[in-house]
Each structure stands twice: as C-alpha cells, then as structure tokens.
C-alpha cells in the first residue's frame, strides 16, 4: 500500500485561497467517505482539521473545508492567515493489508 | 481535554529493543481504540499499529509486523508499543494517538495526538 499522493508545496498571499489535492485509489480515498486532514506546525504534533471528507472538529475555523471527487480528496484554506503556514497531511482507511494510510504531505507557505 | 503523554524513546543499537508507553487522560481511555503513528526526521506520517478498546483486535503495518507488539492496560490508562529487532529505518518520532471509535474500523478517525517520543536506532 503506497502513501496517498499530495503536491509537495502550495502557497498563497494572506487573504487568498489555496487548495491541496490528495490522490489515492478505489481501495482507499475513492472507496470510502472517511478522508481526514491534519495540520502540523514545525516541531508539533499533527492536529485534526477535517474528518469524514467535509466535517470540521469543534474549534476549527470554517476557513478550512474539504471535498472529494472520485479518487481525489481536496482541502481548501480560504482567507489565508500567517498561522496557516504548516504541513498538511491527508489520510484514509485503506482496504488492503494496511489499515490506515497517510498522504505524502504538503507544505503550505503564506507569502 | 484529551491529553496523551508518550515516554520510553531514546537511542538504541540496531537489533535492540525498546518499549514505548503512552498515558491518556481527559477521556474514557477504555472506550476508545488507540494507535501509533511515526514520522522519520524530515519525512511524512506513517501509520504503525492500532488496537481496539478492549485489546481484542490489533493491527500492524507491514513494515513492523512480526517485530512490534501493541498492547494496552486500561486499568492504568496506558498504551504500549514493544519494538524488537530495531532497524535504522525505524528511527522516528513516535506519536500515540486516540481514535474516535471503540474498534479499529473503516469509520475510525485519529482525533487526538500526543507530542511524540523520539526513537533513534544507531550504532
């Protein structure tokens, strides 16, 4: 089971939007509506920001939104703020010999 | 507030063993599945192992199957990861994480993370 594919980097100016893709297969992203997204600042633990493709945990700003089409899930960060600069990882259940698979990670830079 | 505190990391020689611990608080520990996720230096996240709330079911990534053992002691609110036959490629920060379900199932989400403990495998 390979990691889900994400672009290595993405960037935007404050106030702009950035969208990160997460591409898998029919055995993971495309097969289930259980894609999560995590934000990780340098030296810190990951933090859940989206689950079940589109849902936000309590306390996560509505600037973060998720979607899915086929085998690709996406995270959109609207109204970029300086504190959004971080690494972002997607994850999904994987119907294979590995239960849970993460994406390769995307570094978001706020210009 | 959910708190997860890992311990037990350190420097170990190739072929050696180490046991990680994770104490959970702020939630009903015995009602939730738990998992270990690792992150090699400068790399991405890799799921390592998971265990159901009652420890009846355990799961492992192929990369650690047969070498690592996950377990839990619900009377102590503690999750463990016993790591044997360690290799250089096992060097990583190991995160303990809580899932939002009793069992490790398709609907499970990792919803809370500890701060991690660093394991370095080197001679």
């Amino acid at each position: 089971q390979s990691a889900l594919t994400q672009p290595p980097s993405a960037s935007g100016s404050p106030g702009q939007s950035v969208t990160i893709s997460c591409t898998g297969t029919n055995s993971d992203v495309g097969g289930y509506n259980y894609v999560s997204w995590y934000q990780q600042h340098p030296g810190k633990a990951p933090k859940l920001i989206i689950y079940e493709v589109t849902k936000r945990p309590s306390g996560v700003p509505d600037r973060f939104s998720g979607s899915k089409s086929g085998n690709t899930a996406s995270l959109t960060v609207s109204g970029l703020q300086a504190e959004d600069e971080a690494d972002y990882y997607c994850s999904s259940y994987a119907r294979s010999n590995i239960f849970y698979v993460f994406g390769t990670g995307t570094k978001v830079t706020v210009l | 507030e959910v708190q997860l505190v890992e311990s037990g990391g350190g420097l170990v020689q190739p072929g050696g063993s180490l046991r990680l611990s994770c104490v959970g608080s702020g939630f009903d520990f015995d009602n939730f599945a738990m998992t270990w996720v690792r992150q090699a230096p400068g790399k991405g996240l890799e799921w390592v192992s998971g265990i159901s709330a009652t420890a009846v079911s355990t799961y492992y990534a192929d990369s650690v199957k047969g070498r690592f053992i996950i377990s839990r002691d619900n009377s102590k609110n503690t999750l463990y990861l016993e790591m044997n036959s360690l290799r250089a490629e096992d060097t990583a920060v190991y995160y303990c994480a809580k899932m939002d379900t009793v069992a490790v199932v398709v609907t499970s989400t990792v919803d809370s993370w500890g701060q991690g403990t660093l394991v370095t495998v080197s001679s």
Side-chain angles (χ1 to χ4, degrees):
Chain A
Q1 176 69 45
S2 300
L4 306 175
T5 301
Q6 297 180 231
S9 62
S11 62
S13 300
Q16 291 186 332
S17 295
V18 64
T19 297
I20 303 166
S21 62
C22 168
T23 301
T25 68
N26 288 334
S27 295
D28 39 65
V29 174
Y32 309 92
N33 288 323
Y34 291 98
V35 176
S36 301
W37 289 90
Y38 300 89
Q39 177 191 62
Q40 186 181 34
H41 288 107
K44 301 295 186 182
K47 172 189 173 184
L48 178 67
I49 56 173
I50 294 288
Y51 67 102
E52 295 180 19
V53 180
T54 61
K55 299 178 181 179
R56 281 188 311 276
S58 174
V60 174
D62 59 6
R63 301 185 293 103
F64 295 90
S65 62
S67 62
K68 193 187 86 166
S69 178
N71 294 337
T72 298
S74 298
L75 172 72
T76 298
V77 186
S78 305
L80 269 174
Q81 299 183 4
E83 59 261 37
D84 298 333
E85 187 160 293
D87 293 326
Y88 292 82
Y89 294 90
C90 62
S91 72
S92 171
Y93 169 80
R95 185 184 69 241
S96 66
N97 56 352
I98 181 172
F99 177 84
Y100 211 73
V101 62
F102 286 96
T104 50
T106 299
K107 181 176 179 58
V108 169
T109 301
V110 180
L111 301 171
Chain B
E1 179 190 2
V2 172
Q3 286 201 328
L4 299 165
V5 180
E6 303 94 335
S7 61
L11 176 63
V12 61
Q13 292 188 339
S17 298
L18 210 56
R19 189 175 83 156
L20 306 182
S21 300
C22 168
V23 177
S25 61
F27 65 104
D28 291 331
F29 186 83
D30 54 1
N31 279 343
F32 293 95
M34 298 292 292
T35 188
W36 289 98
V37 177
R38 69 184 180 184
Q39 186 170 35
K43 302 297 183 181
L45 301 171
E46 180 188 14
W47 180 80
V48 173
S49 183
I51 186 168
S52 63
T54 59
V56 167
S57 301
T58 57
Y59 306 85
Y60 299 93
D62 283 348
S63 57
V64 307
K65 198 173 295 183
R67 301 187 299 123
F68 289 12
I69 299 173
I70 190 171
S71 62
R72 64 191 295 163
D73 184 340
N74 287 343
S75 69
K76 297 180 179 179
N77 284 8
T78 302
L79 175 71
Y80 302 100
L81 186 67
E82 183 177 340
M83 304 185 295
N84 302 306
S85 302
L86 283 163
R87 308 165 179 166
E89 54 264 36
D90 295 318
T91 294
V93 172
Y94 284 74
Y95 293 102
C96 160
K98 169 187 167 291
M99 308 195 89
D100 64 347
T101 51
V102 170
V104 182
V105 292
V106 62
T107 60
S108 300
T109 294
V110 176
D111 64 0
S112 299
W113 301 67
Q115 287 303 303
T117 186
L118 176 62
V119 172
T120 303
V121 184
S122 175
S123 55

